[in-house]
């Protein structure tokens, strides 16, 4: 067993089988052996590449989206610019550089980063130091002021629970031990899961044998964001603010298993190398948007990433960059644009949704 498998096995011996969500949380964030704690998965030779690492245009357009929304909100004098899981800080660095085109935006922004990985926090400090970021461990620590929040490929990294439909009940997938106690294995709980109203609502027609995921951690996070967006500001000003969520995922809900382990761009067994492989699940956008609107926020989208970036002016930005680039750079810009927007690449699988306070204007890229 690897060190982390041994940690998991010890816990199972003590407590019995644990939920898949608990297993994912250990594999990704165990303080000593967790995947995100011990490495920068986006760096040279990393396990995956995200949109901001593909091209500066991605972060720039999102920066302009934020600046535009700040303008639409009447340019509040102070606000929290929050990023969830900022990775190498690339998106935020590109966003702030572009958003500086709107005078006053950068000065009004208090940069807040929510990052679980000490390794990545260091990379973010190196990259974003001049903007004096503050790191928080939870959204509950945010100041009571307007927020603009962005999250790219964050929600797919949050633990999901997995259930199988049997005899009109949901049975949860658990991680247990093989009979000889030497190996981790997947098992199905014998007792039906209780308190599953959201699962029942998302999958009213579920058939025996179907598997569905419940993005439990993402739902609590969206709940908190939506509450925050709907809260009136301390000085009696109306509730304002917006959140932009970009990730690979699906809408509407569809009963299927999407959790996978990815190492060096290849799939691995879920239990094979905890702490060494990324564990990621496709984001159920319907579950997140339903949660946000139940709390009282307004929801927008999801749109396909390709359509969203095009609506924000990707073509124009690419043309402007290409106009002052060498032939080789022009090829790289065209390739990046293709990768971000092509339906066979990131254009359709990746989706973009926004949440806003109830009575605030439509964010750029989304129709009224
Ligand atoms: N947004 C970046 C990085 C995506 S990878 C980009 O687009 O390049 C996922 C990021 O979320 C990493 O920074 C990871 O360390 C962070 N992360 C994962 N789970 C987290 C959690 N529970 N709390 C805070 N940060 C988390």
């Amino acid at each position: 067993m690897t060190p982390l498998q041994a940690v998991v096995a010890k816990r199972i011996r003590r407590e019995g089988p644990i939920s898949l969500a608990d297993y994912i949380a250990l594999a990704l964030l165990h303080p000593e052996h967790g995947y995100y704690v011990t490495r920068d998965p986006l760096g040279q030779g990393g396990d995956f590449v995200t949109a901001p690492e593909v091209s500066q245009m991605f972060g720039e357009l999102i920066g302009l989206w934020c600046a535009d929304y700040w303008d639409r909100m009447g340019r509040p004098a102070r606000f929290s610019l929050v990023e969830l899981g900022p990775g190498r800080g690339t998106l935020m660095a590109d966003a702030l550089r572009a958003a500086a085109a709107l005078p006053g935006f950068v000065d009004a922004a208090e940069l807040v980063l929510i990052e679980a990985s000490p390794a990545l926090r260091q990379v973010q400090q190196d990259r974003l130091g001049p903007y004096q970021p503050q790191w928080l461990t939870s959204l509950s620590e945010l100041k009571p002021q307007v927020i603009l929040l962005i999250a790219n490929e964050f929600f797919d990294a949050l633990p999901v629970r997995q259930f199988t439909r049997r005899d009109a009940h949901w049975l949860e997938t658990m991680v247990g031990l093989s009979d000889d106690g030497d190996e981790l294995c997947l098992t199905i709980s014998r007792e039906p899961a209780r308190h599953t109203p959201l699962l029942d609502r998302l999958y009213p027609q579920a058939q025996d044998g179907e598997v569905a995921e419940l993005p439990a951690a993402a739902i609590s996070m969206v709940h908190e964001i939506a509450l925050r967006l709907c809260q009136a500001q301390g000085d009696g000003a109306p509730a304002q603010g917006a959140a932009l969520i970009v990730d690979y995922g699906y809408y509407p809900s569809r009963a299927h298993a999407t959790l996978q382990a990815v190492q060096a761009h290849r799939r691995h067994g879920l239990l094979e190398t905890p702490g060494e492989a990324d564990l990621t699940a496709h984001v159920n956008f319907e579950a997140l948007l339903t949660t946000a609107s139940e709390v009282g926020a307004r929801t927008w989208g999801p749109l396909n990433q390709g359509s969203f970036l095009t609506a924000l002016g990707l073509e124009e930005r690419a043309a402007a960059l290409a106009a002052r680039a060498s032939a080789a750079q022009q090829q790289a810009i065209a390739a990046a644009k293709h990768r971000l927007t092509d339906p066979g690449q990131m254009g359709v699988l990746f989706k973009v949704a926004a949440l806003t306070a109830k009575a605030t204007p439509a964010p750029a890229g989304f129709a009224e």
Side-chain angles (χ1 to χ4, degrees):
M1 281 200 187
T2 66
L4 195 50
Q5 280 173 329
V7 169
V8 175
K10 192 167 162 198
R11 180 154 161 200
I12 295 170
R13 276 185 210 110
R14 206 172 53 226
E15 295 174 23
I18 61 172
S19 74
L20 206 45
D22 285 345
Y23 169 76
I24 299 168
L26 281 172
L28 296 182
L29 297 175
H30 181 274
E32 201 179 330
H33 308 294
Y35 176 77
Y36 279 113
V37 175
T38 53
R39 74 203 63 221
D40 167 4
L42 297 146
Q44 282 275 316
D47 291 321
F48 56 91
V49 177
T50 57
E53 304 297 334
V54 168
S55 166
Q56 69 185 75
M57 296 186 287
F58 185 80
E60 288 171 347
L61 291 172
I62 289 184
L64 294 177
W65 183 91
C66 290
D68 174 72
Y69 202 76
W70 177 71
D71 184 50
R72 292 184 200 207
M73 289 191 294
R75 306 191 175 202
R78 300 304 287 160
F79 71 97
S80 301
L81 179 59
V82 186
E83 186 172 4
L84 307 181
R88 316 200 81 222
T90 309
L91 193 169
M92 189 52 83
D94 293 337
L96 285 165
R97 191 182 59 248
L102 189 61
F105 176 84
V106 174
D107 287 339
E110 290 176 18
L111 185 55
V112 175
L113 307 176
I114 303 229
E115 174 55 68
S117 157
L120 287 172
R121 236 177 278 150
Q122 187 54 51
V123 181
Q124 292 154 19
Q125 170 63 46
D126 297 344
R127 201 71 181 274
L128 298 167
Y131 297 104
Q132 300 179 310
Q134 187 194 4
W135 283 267
L136 298 182
T137 46
S138 135
L139 288 173
S140 60
E141 299 162 44
L142 280 173
K143 279 192 198 168
Q145 63 182 8
V146 173
I147 59 165
L148 277 174
L149 178 147
I150 53 186
N152 184 59
E153 288 209 38
F154 172 75
F155 284 98
D156 69 85
L158 299 185
V160 294
R161 296 170 70 186
Q162 213 174 63
F163 297 87
T164 302
R165 186 77 174 169
R166 197 156 297 152
D167 302 329
H169 292 296
W170 293 106
L171 303 183
E172 185 156 10
T173 307
M174 311 292 283
V175 178
L177 285 174
S178 57
D179 289 341
D180 58 13
D182 285 347
E183 261 182 296
L184 300 180
C185 63
L186 291 177
T187 63
I188 302 263
S189 69
R190 278 189 227 122
E191 291 291 312
R194 283 190 269 175
H195 309 302
T196 53
L198 185 59
L199 266 187
D200 297 333
R201 207 140 17 103
L202 296 172
Y203 304 104
Q205 315 283 358
Q207 307 290 315
D208 251 31
E210 275 184 342
V211 175
E213 287 172 347
L214 186 68
I219 286 171
S220 341
M221 200 84 178
V222 163
H223 197 273
E224 203 156 2
I225 296 168
L227 275 179
R228 187 53 75 144
L229 290 173
C230 296
Q231 238 165 37
Q233 305 311 315
D235 51 7
Q240 290 205 96
L244 188 72
I245 299 172
V246 188
D247 225 309
Y248 46 94
Y250 52 102
Y251 184 98
S253 290
R254 187 154 53 86
H256 64 321
T258 71
L259 179 67
Q260 56 174 339
V262 179
Q263 194 174 0
H265 305 267
R266 310 235 330 251
R267 278 183 177 224
H268 271 245
L270 287 180
L271 306 178
E272 220 176 299
T273 48
E276 297 296 318
D278 185 25
L279 289 174
T280 161
H282 289 211
V283 172
N284 181 339
F285 275 92
E286 188 186 353
L288 302 193
L289 297 189
T290 303
T291 301
S293 45
E294 279 174 1
V295 174
R298 193 153 176 204
T299 66
W300 306 85
L303 302 173
N304 291 334
Q305 174 172 292
S307 324
F308 178 73
L309 293 177
T310 306
L312 292 191
L314 181 68
E315 289 292 340
E316 295 75 2
R317 183 67 190 127
L321 285 176
R324 357 179 204 107
S326 67
Q329 287 168 331
Q330 286 178 357
Q331 260 186 3
I333 294 164
K337 192 179 76 178
H338 182 76
R339 184 155 175 198
L340 293 175
T341 57
D342 188 75
Q345 306 241 351
M346 300 173 83
V348 170
L349 175 60
F350 280 76
K351 310 222 178 295
V352 186
L355 317 176
T356 63
K358 201 76 185 174
T360 43
F366 296 91
E368 248 325 320

